[in-house]
Amino acid sequence: MKKFLLLALFTIIALTGAKAANGDTTWVQAHSDIWLDHYGAHDTMVKFPDGTLSYRRVYMIWTLGKYQCPGSPQYCGDWDYTVNTYLLTKTGDTVELGRYITPYANAGSPRTPWTWKQRYIFDITDYYTLLKDSATVRINYSGYSWGFTANVKFAFVEGTPARNVLGINSLWNGYFNYGGASPIDNAVTQKSLTAPNNTQFAEMKFIVSGHGSDQNYCSEFCKKYYQVKLNGSQIDQKDMWRDNCGKNHMYPQSGTWIYDRGNWCPGDIVFHNTHKLNGVTSSSNFDIDVDFEPYTSPNGGAGFGVYGAVFYYGAYNRTRDASLEDIIAPSNHETHFRENACGGAPIIEVMNTGANAITSMKIEYGVDGGPKYTHTWSGNLASMEKTKITLPAIIEIRQATGSNN
């Protein structure tokens, strides 16, 4: 099959503005196929770039694999465990770069043999100010059986980011009991902060996942919410729930993977929520807090893993700019298992990385070696928002033949 080189052939242009250029990529290796053979921390010292270059994007590519446990104990490489990846900064702060839950990866399943690998890609561009020189990267494995391997590397893509990050304040980090004698709101308390000079935008990123099981199946299998408060006033409310676990790209699995859960699914990333802190600008003093839905646990077995941080941004570096975030189909990436193989309409995801809303984009695409086609998208895409675009099908995809599929 002729290669469908969408990454090379796509040109996405806001019709009134500039085109984003691809940059050179610097790769940094952290953990290299280590065995996750004990509960808790797996640390490695990493040498990051020195900070002299500008990077449009920084990605953490996390590859989960398996090894055959000596003695073949029960549940080797086959259980849903929480995996947190932290950066331990020189100032003593612990920053969570990403979280995912391992799948039910029984070796007898055709989807997850012993040679199976699964990649998780985290966009950690906003942490770049901390990813400089030497630092410790920690994998925290909350598993009580073994059999998984870990490979973590970082990709620094040269270029200009959408916005420069001026500062980061970590807020809360830990696993807290929910509904017990000591309310979770006593642990996730209000913080008083001051925005750096030249701040034009501020956002809180919040990662939360429900675990444990009381008589009401909380917090893994019960839907609860949290509220974000800025200066004492509620600005947002979110359910801590994933309602699409049955459509998991890690399909099939063993175990109870199809059941919806407390903001996570087995074998997938725990996606963070972003909350805009409108009105927080240069030198602003403000209070930020998260309150959880009131709840009393019958036996105190419920809990939430929580990480929150505030990010401060300067002005947008481009007035109009669009970024090709992902090629969903055709693709052989395992996270797009459900949408492929594809012999029809290509699907892409685009993000507005400029200051102004985008109302139209011209997209050029095609099969390598064949004719190129254009499609004009129309809509209204706000700054830092994403949209999926289904392109008109082209006959070259269906006609492609050969062994290079």
Side-chain angles (χ1 to χ4, degrees):
M1 176 179 178
K2 292 182 180 179
K3 294 180 180 179
F4 197 25
L5 296 181
L6 290 166
L7 279 173
L9 295 180
F10 265 115
T11 304
I12 299 184
I13 305 172
L15 291 183
T16 52
K19 165 175 83 170
N22 292 325
D24 292 336
T25 300
T26 298
W27 292 92
V28 176
Q29 184 71 50
H31 304 77
S32 184
D33 295 324
I34 66 167
W35 288 13
L36 299 179
D37 56 2
H38 64 266
Y39 180 95
H42 299 256
D43 292 354
T44 189
M45 181 65 71
V46 178
K47 179 67 174 177
F48 289 111
D50 61 11
T52 58
L53 295 178
S54 175
Y55 297 101
R56 181 175 177 84
R57 290 293 176 88
V58 182
Y59 297 102
M60 179 173 68
I61 297 93
W62 220 115
T63 303
L64 182 70
K66 296 203 302 186
Y67 70 92
Q68 296 189 47
C69 306
S72 298
Q74 190 178 23
Y75 306 129
C76 180
D78 179 27
W79 207 253
D80 55 335
Y81 294 125
T82 304
V83 181
N84 313 79
T85 304
Y86 296 107
L87 181 74
L88 278 57
T89 70
K90 292 180 179 180
T91 59
D93 197 8
T94 300
V95 176
E96 184 167 5
L97 299 177
R99 183 185 311 177
Y100 72 89
I101 312 295
T102 60
Y104 292 95
N106 187 287
S109 169
R111 183 81 165 91
T112 52
W114 289 116
T115 56
W116 161 85
K117 301 285 187 182
Q118 176 74 23
R119 288 170 291 179
Y120 302 91
I121 300 176
F122 299 86
D123 185 341
I124 57 170
T125 306
D126 287 347
Y127 294 93
Y128 171 55
T129 57
L130 305 177
L131 299 169
K132 299 178 181 180
D133 301 318
S134 297
T136 296
V137 175
R138 170 173 294 172
I139 298 172
N140 191 72
Y141 177 66
S142 298
Y144 293 93
S145 63
W146 325 127
F148 289 110
T149 63
N151 187 293
V152 181
K153 59 184 177 181
F154 298 86
F156 292 78
V157 184
E158 292 183 29
T160 303
R163 301 174 291 183
N164 294 330
V165 175
L166 306 179
I168 304 171
N169 285 135
S170 291
L171 302 174
W172 316 281
N173 179 24
Y175 180 80
F176 307 111
N177 180 262
Y178 180 57
S182 178
I184 192 171
D185 290 335
N186 289 353
V188 182
T189 58
Q190 178 176 288
K191 303 293 184 182
S192 297
L193 303 171
T194 301
N197 290 335
N198 301 316
T199 296
Q200 294 203 20
F201 307 93
E203 297 175 355
M204 183 185 76
K205 294 185 180 181
F206 195 67
I207 308 173
V208 60
S209 54
H211 307 278
S213 182
D214 63 14
Q215 292 173 340
N216 295 324
Y217 305 104
C218 289
S219 295
E220 182 173 351
F221 294 109
C222 70
K223 182 192 290 189
K224 299 296 179 181
Y225 65 78
Y226 69 87
Q227 297 173 335
V228 181
K229 294 184 177 179
L230 178 62
N231 296 324
S233 298
Q234 181 180 324
I235 61 170
D236 210 350
Q237 178 173 306
K238 287 283 188 179
D239 288 333
M240 298 176 285
W241 192 246
R242 280 283 297 271
D243 62 0
N244 59 353
C245 288
K247 295 181 179 179
N248 202 321
H249 61 269
M250 271 297 303
Y251 159 81
Q253 296 181 42
S254 52
T256 60
W257 65 274
I258 62 171
Y259 297 117
D260 298 337
R261 284 170 161 85
N263 210 43
W264 60 273
C265 299
D268 204 0
I269 290 172
V270 181
F271 296 101
H272 70 260
N273 293 325
T274 297
H275 304 278
K276 296 181 179 180
L277 306 181
N278 294 329
V280 175
T281 56
S282 182
S283 302
S284 294
N285 298 313
F286 64 99
D287 297 328
I288 185 74
D289 195 11
V290 168
D291 290 338
F292 289 76
E293 180 178 348
Y295 176 69
T296 300
S297 174
N299 61 3
F304 284 103
V306 171
Y307 178 75
V310 173
F311 293 76
Y312 305 96
Y313 304 92
Y316 282 93
N317 289 317
R318 293 186 176 89
T319 302
R320 292 182 178 86
D321 194 30
S323 169
L324 175 62
E325 294 293 292
D326 202 359
I327 300 165
I328 298 169
S331 172
N332 62 0
H333 198 284
E334 53 271 28
T335 57
H336 301 315
F337 178 78
R338 293 282 192 172
E339 291 83 10
N340 291 279
C342 168
I347 305 171
I348 62 171
E349 184 176 61
V350 180
M351 184 178 189
N352 180 1
T353 48
N356 291 355
I358 293 176
T359 57
S360 61
M361 285 180 279
K362 182 181 178 181
I363 303 164
E364 186 179 78
Y365 64 107
V367 173
D368 187 27
K372 296 178 182 178
Y373 298 84
T374 59
H375 172 73
T376 300
W377 172 90
S378 298
N380 194 319
L381 190 61
S383 298
M384 305 309 293
E385 296 295 323
K386 298 179 181 179
T387 189
K388 292 181 181 178
I389 301 173
T390 299
L391 302 170
I394 55 177
I395 192 65
E396 285 79 11
I397 296 178
R398 295 195 295 271
Q399 292 177 336
T401 60
S403 59
N404 188 13
N405 294 320

